[in-house]
Amino acid sequence: MPAQEREKVFQRLYRLDSSRTTPGSGLGLSLVRAIADLHGATIALEDRRPGLAVIVGFPRAEGTGPGLK
């Protein structure tokens, strides 16, 4: 995915030119971002050459983690 397209894929109904002939609605990553935002999570796209990784990081809840109950 071209670097200049990465922020655009989070817009509702946006599809890359190369994906316009494949099934889909262009809602997937916009929904992922909306859910991540609701939960205070971060979302990042990383080029894997070939492919793309979508990395979602959720904040740790208070009182959780190694050695905590």
Side-chain angles (χ1 to χ4, degrees):
M1 173 183 297
Q4 65 271 19
E5 298 284 323
R6 290 192 186 153
E7 276 304 308
K8 294 178 185 177
V9 298
F10 293 112
Q11 298 171 10
R12 280 183 285 174
L13 306 177
Y14 184 82
R15 299 189 69 196
L16 296 172
D17 287 334
S18 61
S19 298
R20 294 188 190 273
T21 58
T22 59
S25 62
L27 291 174
L29 288 175
S30 67
L31 290 173
V32 171
R33 172 160 276 171
I35 293 167
D37 288 348
L38 285 172
H39 293 281
T42 59
I43 186 167
L45 301 178
E46 191 175 280
D47 193 354
R48 292 294 170 103
R49 297 182 189 149
L52 182 76
V54 179
I55 302 159
V56 181
F58 288 88
R60 186 178 297 236
E62 287 187 35
T64 62
L68 300 176
K69 295 183 180 186

Short mmCIF file of all heavy atoms in Angstrom, two decimals:
data_model
loop_
_atom_site.label_atom_id
_atom_site.label_comp_id
_atom_site.label_asym_id
_atom_site.label_seq_id
_atom_site.Cartn_x
_atom_site.Cartn_y
_atom_site.Cartn_z
N MET A 1 0.85 -1.17 0.00
CA MET A 1 0.00 0.00 0.00
C MET A 1 0.90 1.24 0.00
O MET A 1 1.78 1.35 0.84
CB MET A 1 -0.89 0.00 1.24
CG MET A 1 -1.68 1.27 1.39
SD MET A 1 -2.67 1.34 2.89
CE MET A 1 -3.77 0.01 2.60
N PRO A 2 0.64 2.15 -0.92
CA PRO A 2 1.45 3.37 -0.96
C PRO A 2 1.30 4.17 0.35
O PRO A 2 0.21 4.25 0.92
CB PRO A 2 0.86 4.15 -2.14
CG PRO A 2 0.11 3.15 -2.95
CD PRO A 2 -0.33 2.08 -1.99
N ALA A 3 2.39 4.74 0.82
CA ALA A 3 2.38 5.50 2.08
C ALA A 3 1.35 6.63 2.07
O ALA A 3 0.71 6.89 3.08
CB ALA A 3 3.77 6.05 2.36
N GLN A 4 1.15 7.28 0.92
CA GLN A 4 0.21 8.40 0.85
C GLN A 4 -1.26 7.95 0.95
O GLN A 4 -2.13 8.76 1.17
CB GLN A 4 0.43 9.23 -0.42
CG GLN A 4 0.14 8.52 -1.71
CD GLN A 4 1.33 7.79 -2.28
OE1 GLN A 4 2.30 7.50 -1.58
NE2 GLN A 4 1.28 7.48 -3.57
N GLU A 5 -1.52 6.66 0.85
CA GLU A 5 -2.88 6.13 0.95
C GLU A 5 -3.23 5.66 2.37
O GLU A 5 -4.39 5.40 2.65
CB GLU A 5 -3.06 4.94 -0.01
CG GLU A 5 -2.88 5.29 -1.46
CD GLU A 5 -4.08 6.00 -2.04
OE1 GLU A 5 -5.22 5.68 -1.67
OE2 GLU A 5 -3.86 6.91 -2.86
N ARG A 6 -2.26 5.55 3.23
CA ARG A 6 -2.49 4.89 4.52
C ARG A 6 -3.52 5.57 5.40
O ARG A 6 -4.34 4.90 6.01
CB ARG A 6 -1.17 4.72 5.27
CG ARG A 6 -0.33 3.68 4.58
CD ARG A 6 0.84 3.27 5.39
NE ARG A 6 1.64 2.38 4.56
CZ ARG A 6 2.91 2.22 4.70
NH1 ARG A 6 3.56 2.86 5.64
NH2 ARG A 6 3.57 1.41 3.90
N GLU A 7 -3.52 6.86 5.52
CA GLU A 7 -4.54 7.53 6.35
C GLU A 7 -5.91 7.48 5.68
O GLU A 7 -6.92 7.44 6.36
CB GLU A 7 -4.14 8.97 6.66
CG GLU A 7 -3.22 9.09 7.85
CD GLU A 7 -3.77 8.47 9.13
OE1 GLU A 7 -4.91 8.78 9.53
OE2 GLU A 7 -3.05 7.66 9.74
N LYS A 8 -5.94 7.48 4.37
CA LYS A 8 -7.21 7.47 3.65
C LYS A 8 -8.00 6.18 3.88
O LYS A 8 -9.22 6.19 3.83
CB LYS A 8 -6.97 7.66 2.15
CG LYS A 8 -6.43 9.02 1.81
CD LYS A 8 -6.17 9.11 0.32
CE LYS A 8 -5.51 10.42 -0.06
NZ LYS A 8 -5.19 10.46 -1.49
N VAL A 9 -7.32 5.05 4.11
CA VAL A 9 -8.04 3.78 4.26
C VAL A 9 -8.88 3.73 5.53
O VAL A 9 -9.71 2.84 5.68
CB VAL A 9 -7.10 2.55 4.20
CG1 VAL A 9 -6.41 2.48 2.86
CG2 VAL A 9 -6.11 2.54 5.35
N PHE A 10 -8.73 4.70 6.42
CA PHE A 10 -9.56 4.77 7.61
C PHE A 10 -10.85 5.55 7.37
O PHE A 10 -11.69 5.64 8.25
CB PHE A 10 -8.78 5.38 8.77
CG PHE A 10 -7.65 4.51 9.25
CD1 PHE A 10 -6.34 4.90 9.06
CD2 PHE A 10 -7.90 3.30 9.89
CE1 PHE A 10 -5.30 4.10 9.51
CE2 PHE A 10 -6.87 2.49 10.32
CZ PHE A 10 -5.56 2.90 10.13
N GLN A 11 -11.02 6.11 6.19
CA GLN A 11 -12.24 6.83 5.84
C GLN A 11 -13.31 5.82 5.42
O GLN A 11 -13.01 4.85 4.71
CB GLN A 11 -12.00 7.80 4.69
CG GLN A 11 -11.01 8.88 5.00
CD GLN A 11 -10.65 9.69 3.76
OE1 GLN A 11 -11.27 9.56 2.71
NE2 GLN A 11 -9.63 10.51 3.88
N ARG A 12 -14.56 6.06 5.82
CA ARG A 12 -15.64 5.17 5.41
C ARG A 12 -15.78 5.15 3.89
O ARG A 12 -15.69 6.18 3.24
CB ARG A 12 -16.97 5.61 6.03
CG ARG A 12 -17.09 5.17 7.46
CD ARG A 12 -18.41 5.56 8.00
NE ARG A 12 -18.35 7.00 8.24
CZ ARG A 12 -19.35 7.74 8.60
NH1 ARG A 12 -20.53 7.23 8.75
NH2 ARG A 12 -19.18 9.03 8.81
N LEU A 13 -15.97 3.97 3.36
CA LEU A 13 -16.23 3.70 1.94
C LEU A 13 -15.03 3.96 1.04
O LEU A 13 -15.15 3.89 -0.18
CB LEU A 13 -17.45 4.49 1.44
CG LEU A 13 -18.73 4.30 2.26
CD1 LEU A 13 -19.83 5.19 1.72
CD2 LEU A 13 -19.15 2.86 2.27
N TYR A 14 -13.86 4.23 1.60
CA TYR A 14 -12.66 4.46 0.78
C TYR A 14 -12.07 3.12 0.37
O TYR A 14 -11.94 2.21 1.18
CB TYR A 14 -11.61 5.27 1.54
CG TYR A 14 -10.42 5.60 0.68
CD1 TYR A 14 -10.48 6.67 -0.19
CD2 TYR A 14 -9.28 4.82 0.70
CE1 TYR A 14 -9.40 6.97 -1.01
CE2 TYR A 14 -8.20 5.12 -0.10
CZ TYR A 14 -8.27 6.18 -0.96
OH TYR A 14 -7.21 6.47 -1.78
N ARG A 15 -11.72 3.01 -0.90
CA ARG A 15 -11.05 1.81 -1.41
C ARG A 15 -9.91 2.22 -2.31
O ARG A 15 -10.02 3.18 -3.07
CB ARG A 15 -12.03 0.95 -2.18
CG ARG A 15 -13.19 0.49 -1.26
CD ARG A 15 -14.07 -0.51 -1.88
NE ARG A 15 -13.32 -1.76 -2.02
CZ ARG A 15 -13.70 -2.74 -2.80
NH1 ARG A 15 -14.79 -2.64 -3.51
NH2 ARG A 15 -13.00 -3.83 -2.89
N LEU A 16 -8.81 1.50 -2.23
CA LEU A 16 -7.69 1.75 -3.12
C LEU A 16 -8.11 1.41 -4.55
O LEU A 16 -8.95 0.54 -4.76
CB LEU A 16 -6.50 0.88 -2.74
CG LEU A 16 -5.88 1.12 -1.37
CD1 LEU A 16 -4.85 0.05 -1.07
CD2 LEU A 16 -5.25 2.49 -1.31
N ASP A 17 -7.54 2.09 -5.52
CA ASP A 17 -7.86 1.80 -6.91
C ASP A 17 -7.66 0.32 -7.24
O ASP A 17 -8.46 -0.27 -7.95
CB ASP A 17 -7.03 2.66 -7.86
CG ASP A 17 -7.48 4.11 -7.87
OD1 ASP A 17 -8.67 4.37 -7.56
OD2 ASP A 17 -6.65 4.98 -8.19
N SER A 18 -6.61 -0.27 -6.73
CA SER A 18 -6.31 -1.68 -7.03
C SER A 18 -7.32 -2.64 -6.40
O SER A 18 -7.36 -3.81 -6.75
CB SER A 18 -4.90 -2.02 -6.56
OG SER A 18 -4.80 -1.84 -5.16
N SER A 19 -8.15 -2.16 -5.46
CA SER A 19 -9.12 -3.03 -4.78
C SER A 19 -10.55 -2.83 -5.27
O SER A 19 -11.45 -3.48 -4.78
CB SER A 19 -9.09 -2.75 -3.28
OG SER A 19 -7.83 -3.05 -2.75
N ARG A 20 -10.75 -1.96 -6.19
CA ARG A 20 -12.12 -1.64 -6.61
C ARG A 20 -12.83 -2.78 -7.34
O ARG A 20 -14.04 -2.79 -7.40
CB ARG A 20 -12.12 -0.38 -7.46
CG ARG A 20 -11.71 0.84 -6.65
CD ARG A 20 -11.90 2.12 -7.43
NE ARG A 20 -11.29 3.22 -6.72
CZ ARG A 20 -11.91 3.93 -5.79
NH1 ARG A 20 -13.14 3.65 -5.47
NH2 ARG A 20 -11.29 4.93 -5.19
N THR A 21 -12.09 -3.73 -7.87
CA THR A 21 -12.72 -4.84 -8.59
C THR A 21 -12.92 -6.07 -7.71
O THR A 21 -13.45 -7.08 -8.17
CB THR A 21 -11.89 -5.23 -9.82
OG1 THR A 21 -10.58 -5.58 -9.38
CG2 THR A 21 -11.82 -4.09 -10.82
N THR A 22 -12.51 -6.02 -6.45
CA THR A 22 -12.70 -7.13 -5.54
C THR A 22 -13.89 -6.85 -4.62
O THR A 22 -14.24 -5.69 -4.39
CB THR A 22 -11.43 -7.37 -4.69
OG1 THR A 22 -11.15 -6.19 -3.95
CG2 THR A 22 -10.25 -7.74 -5.55
N PRO A 23 -14.52 -7.90 -4.09
CA PRO A 23 -15.67 -7.68 -3.20
C PRO A 23 -15.29 -6.89 -1.96
O PRO A 23 -14.18 -7.01 -1.45
CB PRO A 23 -16.09 -9.10 -2.82
CG PRO A 23 -15.50 -9.99 -3.85
CD PRO A 23 -14.25 -9.31 -4.32
N GLY A 24 -16.20 -6.11 -1.48
CA GLY A 24 -15.98 -5.33 -0.26
C GLY A 24 -16.70 -4.01 -0.33
O GLY A 24 -17.13 -3.57 -1.41
N SER A 25 -16.84 -3.38 0.82
CA SER A 25 -17.58 -2.12 0.89
C SER A 25 -16.71 -0.93 1.28
O SER A 25 -17.16 0.20 1.22
CB SER A 25 -18.72 -2.25 1.88
OG SER A 25 -18.20 -2.52 3.17
N GLY A 26 -15.50 -1.18 1.74
CA GLY A 26 -14.65 -0.08 2.19
C GLY A 26 -14.97 0.38 3.60
O GLY A 26 -14.66 1.50 3.98
N LEU A 27 -15.57 -0.50 4.39
CA LEU A 27 -15.92 -0.13 5.77
C LEU A 27 -14.99 -0.74 6.81
O LEU A 27 -14.94 -0.28 7.94
CB LEU A 27 -17.36 -0.57 6.09
CG LEU A 27 -18.45 0.19 5.37
CD1 LEU A 27 -19.79 -0.45 5.66
CD2 LEU A 27 -18.45 1.64 5.80
N GLY A 28 -14.25 -1.77 6.47
CA GLY A 28 -13.47 -2.54 7.44
C GLY A 28 -12.58 -1.73 8.35
O GLY A 28 -12.75 -1.73 9.57
N LEU A 29 -11.62 -1.01 7.79
CA LEU A 29 -10.67 -0.28 8.64
C LEU A 29 -11.28 0.95 9.29
O LEU A 29 -10.84 1.36 10.37
CB LEU A 29 -9.41 0.09 7.85
CG LEU A 29 -8.51 -1.10 7.53
CD1 LEU A 29 -7.35 -0.67 6.64
CD2 LEU A 29 -7.99 -1.75 8.79
N SER A 30 -12.33 1.52 8.70
CA SER A 30 -13.00 2.64 9.38
C SER A 30 -13.70 2.14 10.64
O SER A 30 -13.70 2.82 11.68
CB SER A 30 -13.97 3.35 8.45
OG SER A 30 -15.07 2.53 8.11
N LEU A 31 -14.26 0.93 10.59
CA LEU A 31 -14.89 0.34 11.78
C LEU A 31 -13.83 -0.02 12.83
O LEU A 31 -14.04 0.20 14.02
CB LEU A 31 -15.69 -0.90 11.40
CG LEU A 31 -16.97 -0.63 10.61
CD1 LEU A 31 -17.58 -1.93 10.14
CD2 LEU A 31 -17.96 0.15 11.45
N VAL A 32 -12.71 -0.55 12.39
CA VAL A 32 -11.62 -0.88 13.32
C VAL A 32 -11.16 0.37 14.04
O VAL A 32 -10.99 0.37 15.26
CB VAL A 32 -10.45 -1.56 12.58
CG1 VAL A 32 -9.24 -1.71 13.48
CG2 VAL A 32 -10.87 -2.92 12.04
N ARG A 33 -10.98 1.46 13.30
CA ARG A 33 -10.53 2.71 13.94
C ARG A 33 -11.60 3.23 14.91
O ARG A 33 -11.26 3.69 16.01
CB ARG A 33 -10.22 3.78 12.91
CG ARG A 33 -9.96 5.11 13.64
CD ARG A 33 -9.21 6.12 12.90
NE ARG A 33 -7.79 5.88 13.02
CZ ARG A 33 -6.89 6.53 12.32
NH1 ARG A 33 -7.25 7.43 11.44
NH2 ARG A 33 -5.62 6.28 12.48
N ALA A 34 -12.86 3.18 14.55
CA ALA A 34 -13.92 3.67 15.43
C ALA A 34 -13.94 2.88 16.74
O ALA A 34 -14.05 3.46 17.83
CB ALA A 34 -15.27 3.58 14.73
N ILE A 35 -13.81 1.57 16.66
CA ILE A 35 -13.80 0.74 17.86
C ILE A 35 -12.54 1.00 18.69
O ILE A 35 -12.61 1.13 19.91
CB ILE A 35 -13.93 -0.75 17.48
CG1 ILE A 35 -15.31 -1.01 16.90
CG2 ILE A 35 -13.65 -1.65 18.68
CD1 ILE A 35 -15.46 -2.34 16.19
N ALA A 36 -11.42 1.13 18.03
CA ALA A 36 -10.17 1.43 18.74
C ALA A 36 -10.29 2.77 19.47
O ALA A 36 -9.89 2.89 20.63
CB ALA A 36 -9.00 1.45 17.76
N ASP A 37 -10.84 3.78 18.80
CA ASP A 37 -11.01 5.09 19.43
C ASP A 37 -11.91 5.01 20.65
O ASP A 37 -11.63 5.64 21.68
CB ASP A 37 -11.57 6.10 18.42
CG ASP A 37 -10.57 6.51 17.36
OD1 ASP A 37 -9.36 6.21 17.51
OD2 ASP A 37 -11.01 7.12 16.36
N LEU A 38 -13.00 4.25 20.57
CA LEU A 38 -13.91 4.11 21.70
C LEU A 38 -13.24 3.49 22.92
O LEU A 38 -13.62 3.77 24.06
CB LEU A 38 -15.12 3.24 21.31
CG LEU A 38 -16.15 3.90 20.42
CD1 LEU A 38 -17.17 2.88 19.95
CD2 LEU A 38 -16.86 5.04 21.16
N HIS A 39 -12.23 2.67 22.69
CA HIS A 39 -11.55 1.98 23.78
C HIS A 39 -10.20 2.58 24.13
O HIS A 39 -9.45 2.02 24.93
CB HIS A 39 -11.39 0.50 23.43
CG HIS A 39 -12.69 -0.22 23.36
ND1 HIS A 39 -13.36 -0.67 24.47
CD2 HIS A 39 -13.46 -0.55 22.29
CE1 HIS A 39 -14.49 -1.25 24.11
NE2 HIS A 39 -14.58 -1.19 22.79
N GLY A 40 -9.89 3.74 23.56
CA GLY A 40 -8.62 4.39 23.85
C GLY A 40 -7.42 3.66 23.30
O GLY A 40 -6.31 3.79 23.82
N ALA A 41 -7.63 2.87 22.26
CA ALA A 41 -6.55 2.08 21.67
C ALA A 41 -5.86 2.87 20.56
O ALA A 41 -6.41 3.82 20.02
CB ALA A 41 -7.10 0.77 21.11
N THR A 42 -4.67 2.43 20.22
CA THR A 42 -3.94 3.01 19.10
C THR A 42 -4.04 2.04 17.92
O THR A 42 -4.20 0.84 18.11
CB THR A 42 -2.46 3.23 19.45
OG1 THR A 42 -1.87 1.97 19.79
CG2 THR A 42 -2.31 4.21 20.59
N ILE A 43 -3.94 2.60 16.73
CA ILE A 43 -3.96 1.77 15.53
C ILE A 43 -2.88 2.28 14.59
O ILE A 43 -2.72 3.49 14.43
CB ILE A 43 -5.36 1.75 14.88
CG1 ILE A 43 -5.39 0.76 13.73
CG2 ILE A 43 -5.79 3.12 14.45
CD1 ILE A 43 -6.79 0.45 13.24
N ALA A 44 -2.13 1.36 14.02
CA ALA A 44 -1.05 1.73 13.11
C ALA A 44 -1.01 0.74 11.95
O ALA A 44 -1.38 -0.42 12.10
CB ALA A 44 0.28 1.71 13.85
N LEU A 45 -0.57 1.22 10.81
CA LEU A 45 -0.38 0.38 9.63
C LEU A 45 1.11 0.25 9.39
O LEU A 45 1.85 1.22 9.47
CB LEU A 45 -1.06 1.01 8.41
CG LEU A 45 -2.56 1.26 8.53
CD1 LEU A 45 -3.08 1.94 7.27
CD2 LEU A 45 -3.31 -0.03 8.78
N GLU A 46 1.55 -0.97 9.09
CA GLU A 46 2.97 -1.23 8.90
C GLU A 46 3.16 -2.03 7.62
O GLU A 46 2.52 -3.06 7.42
CB GLU A 46 3.47 -2.02 10.10
CG GLU A 46 4.95 -2.15 10.19
CD GLU A 46 5.32 -2.84 11.48
OE1 GLU A 46 5.35 -2.16 12.52
OE2 GLU A 46 5.58 -4.06 11.44
N ASP A 47 4.03 -1.56 6.75
CA ASP A 47 4.31 -2.25 5.50
C ASP A 47 5.11 -3.51 5.78
O ASP A 47 6.12 -3.46 6.46
CB ASP A 47 5.09 -1.31 4.57
CG ASP A 47 5.14 -1.81 3.15
OD1 ASP A 47 4.67 -2.94 2.89
OD2 ASP A 47 5.66 -1.08 2.29
N ARG A 48 4.66 -4.64 5.26
CA ARG A 48 5.35 -5.90 5.48
C ARG A 48 6.06 -6.40 4.21
O ARG A 48 6.77 -7.38 4.26
CB ARG A 48 4.38 -6.97 5.97
CG ARG A 48 3.87 -6.69 7.36
CD ARG A 48 5.02 -6.79 8.36
NE ARG A 48 4.65 -6.31 9.66
CZ ARG A 48 4.36 -7.09 10.68
NH1 ARG A 48 4.37 -8.38 10.54
NH2 ARG A 48 4.05 -6.56 11.83
N ARG A 49 5.85 -5.76 3.10
CA ARG A 49 6.54 -6.07 1.83
C ARG A 49 6.70 -7.54 1.55
O ARG A 49 7.78 -8.07 1.74
CB ARG A 49 7.89 -5.37 1.80
CG ARG A 49 7.73 -3.90 1.85
CD ARG A 49 9.06 -3.20 1.77
NE ARG A 49 8.79 -1.80 2.05
CZ ARG A 49 9.62 -0.99 2.62
NH1 ARG A 49 10.80 -1.39 2.95
NH2 ARG A 49 9.28 0.26 2.84
N PRO A 50 5.78 -8.27 1.10
CA PRO A 50 4.47 -7.82 0.65
C PRO A 50 3.47 -7.85 1.80
O PRO A 50 3.67 -8.52 2.80
CB PRO A 50 4.09 -8.85 -0.40
CG PRO A 50 4.71 -10.11 0.08
CD PRO A 50 6.01 -9.67 0.75
N GLY A 51 2.43 -7.13 1.63
CA GLY A 51 1.34 -7.12 2.60
C GLY A 51 1.38 -5.92 3.52
O GLY A 51 2.25 -5.05 3.44
N LEU A 52 0.39 -5.90 4.39
CA LEU A 52 0.20 -4.79 5.32
C LEU A 52 -0.21 -5.36 6.66
O LEU A 52 -1.05 -6.27 6.72
CB LEU A 52 -0.89 -3.86 4.80
CG LEU A 52 -1.17 -2.62 5.63
CD1 LEU A 52 -0.08 -1.59 5.40
CD2 LEU A 52 -2.52 -2.05 5.26
N ALA A 53 0.37 -4.88 7.73
CA ALA A 53 -0.03 -5.28 9.08
C ALA A 53 -0.82 -4.14 9.70
O ALA A 53 -0.44 -2.97 9.58
CB ALA A 53 1.19 -5.58 9.93
N VAL A 54 -1.92 -4.48 10.34
CA VAL A 54 -2.71 -3.52 11.10
C VAL A 54 -2.46 -3.87 12.57
O VAL A 54 -2.76 -4.97 13.02
CB VAL A 54 -4.21 -3.62 10.76
CG1 VAL A 54 -5.00 -2.63 11.59
CG2 VAL A 54 -4.43 -3.38 9.27
N ILE A 55 -1.89 -2.93 13.30
CA ILE A 55 -1.50 -3.16 14.68
C ILE A 55 -2.39 -2.32 15.59
O ILE A 55 -2.42 -1.10 15.46
CB ILE A 55 -0.02 -2.80 14.90
CG1 ILE A 55 0.83 -3.63 13.94
CG2 ILE A 55 0.39 -3.01 16.34
CD1 ILE A 55 2.19 -3.07 13.68
N VAL A 56 -3.11 -2.99 16.47
CA VAL A 56 -4.00 -2.32 17.41
C VAL A 56 -3.46 -2.56 18.81
O VAL A 56 -3.21 -3.70 19.20
CB VAL A 56 -5.45 -2.85 17.29
CG1 VAL A 56 -6.37 -2.12 18.26
CG2 VAL A 56 -5.96 -2.71 15.87
N GLY A 57 -3.25 -1.48 19.56
CA GLY A 57 -2.74 -1.58 20.92
C GLY A 57 -3.73 -1.01 21.91
O GLY A 57 -4.11 0.15 21.81
N PHE A 58 -4.17 -1.85 22.83
CA PHE A 58 -5.13 -1.41 23.85
C PHE A 58 -4.39 -1.07 25.13
O PHE A 58 -3.42 -1.74 25.50
CB PHE A 58 -6.15 -2.52 24.13
CG PHE A 58 -7.13 -2.72 23.02
CD1 PHE A 58 -6.85 -3.57 21.97
CD2 PHE A 58 -8.33 -2.02 23.01
CE1 PHE A 58 -7.74 -3.74 20.93
CE2 PHE A 58 -9.22 -2.18 21.97
CZ PHE A 58 -8.93 -3.05 20.94
N PRO A 59 -4.86 -0.03 25.83
CA PRO A 59 -4.21 0.32 27.10
C PRO A 59 -4.44 -0.79 28.13
O PRO A 59 -5.48 -1.45 28.11
CB PRO A 59 -4.89 1.62 27.51
CG PRO A 59 -6.17 1.66 26.77
CD PRO A 59 -5.98 0.85 25.53
N ARG A 60 -3.49 -0.98 28.98
CA ARG A 60 -3.61 -1.99 30.03
C ARG A 60 -4.59 -1.48 31.09
O ARG A 60 -4.50 -0.33 31.52
CB ARG A 60 -2.25 -2.23 30.64
CG ARG A 60 -2.23 -3.36 31.65
CD ARG A 60 -0.83 -3.55 32.15
NE ARG A 60 0.00 -3.95 31.03
CZ ARG A 60 0.73 -5.05 31.01
NH1 ARG A 60 0.74 -5.85 32.04
NH2 ARG A 60 1.47 -5.34 29.97
N ALA A 61 -5.49 -2.34 31.51
CA ALA A 61 -6.44 -1.97 32.55
C ALA A 61 -5.70 -1.85 33.89
O ALA A 61 -4.72 -2.57 34.13
CB ALA A 61 -7.54 -3.00 32.65
N GLU A 62 -6.17 -0.96 34.74
CA GLU A 62 -5.55 -0.80 36.07
C GLU A 62 -5.63 -2.11 36.84
O GLU A 62 -6.64 -2.80 36.78
CB GLU A 62 -6.25 0.31 36.84
CG GLU A 62 -5.93 1.69 36.32
CD GLU A 62 -6.50 2.76 37.21
OE1 GLU A 62 -6.55 2.57 38.44
OE2 GLU A 62 -6.92 3.78 36.66
N GLY A 63 -4.57 -2.43 37.54
CA GLY A 63 -4.58 -3.62 38.38
C GLY A 63 -4.33 -4.90 37.60
O GLY A 63 -4.57 -5.98 38.12
N THR A 64 -3.87 -4.80 36.35
CA THR A 64 -3.57 -6.01 35.59
C THR A 64 -2.10 -6.02 35.22
O THR A 64 -1.42 -5.02 35.30
CB THR A 64 -4.41 -6.08 34.29
OG1 THR A 64 -4.07 -4.97 33.46
CG2 THR A 64 -5.89 -6.07 34.59
N GLY A 65 -1.65 -7.15 34.83
CA GLY A 65 -0.27 -7.29 34.41
C GLY A 65 0.41 -8.37 35.22
O GLY A 65 -0.18 -8.97 36.13
N PRO A 66 1.67 -8.62 34.92
CA PRO A 66 2.41 -9.68 35.62
C PRO A 66 2.44 -9.45 37.14
O PRO A 66 2.74 -8.35 37.59
CB PRO A 66 3.82 -9.59 35.02
CG PRO A 66 3.64 -8.87 33.73
CD PRO A 66 2.47 -7.95 33.92
N GLY A 67 2.08 -10.46 37.88
CA GLY A 67 2.16 -10.38 39.35
C GLY A 67 1.00 -9.63 39.99
O GLY A 67 0.98 -9.50 41.21
N LEU A 68 0.06 -9.11 39.23
CA LEU A 68 -1.06 -8.37 39.82
C LEU A 68 -2.35 -9.16 39.66
O LEU A 68 -2.50 -9.94 38.74
CB LEU A 68 -1.21 -7.01 39.12
CG LEU A 68 -0.02 -6.08 39.21
CD1 LEU A 68 -0.27 -4.83 38.41
CD2 LEU A 68 0.24 -5.70 40.67
N LYS A 69 -3.27 -8.97 40.59
CA LYS A 69 -4.56 -9.66 40.51
C LYS A 69 -5.67 -8.66 40.35
O LYS A 69 -5.66 -7.60 40.80
CB LYS A 69 -4.80 -10.49 41.75
CG LYS A 69 -3.80 -11.62 41.84
CD LYS A 69 -4.09 -12.47 43.04
CE LYS A 69 -3.08 -13.58 43.10
NZ LYS A 69 -3.32 -14.53 44.12
#
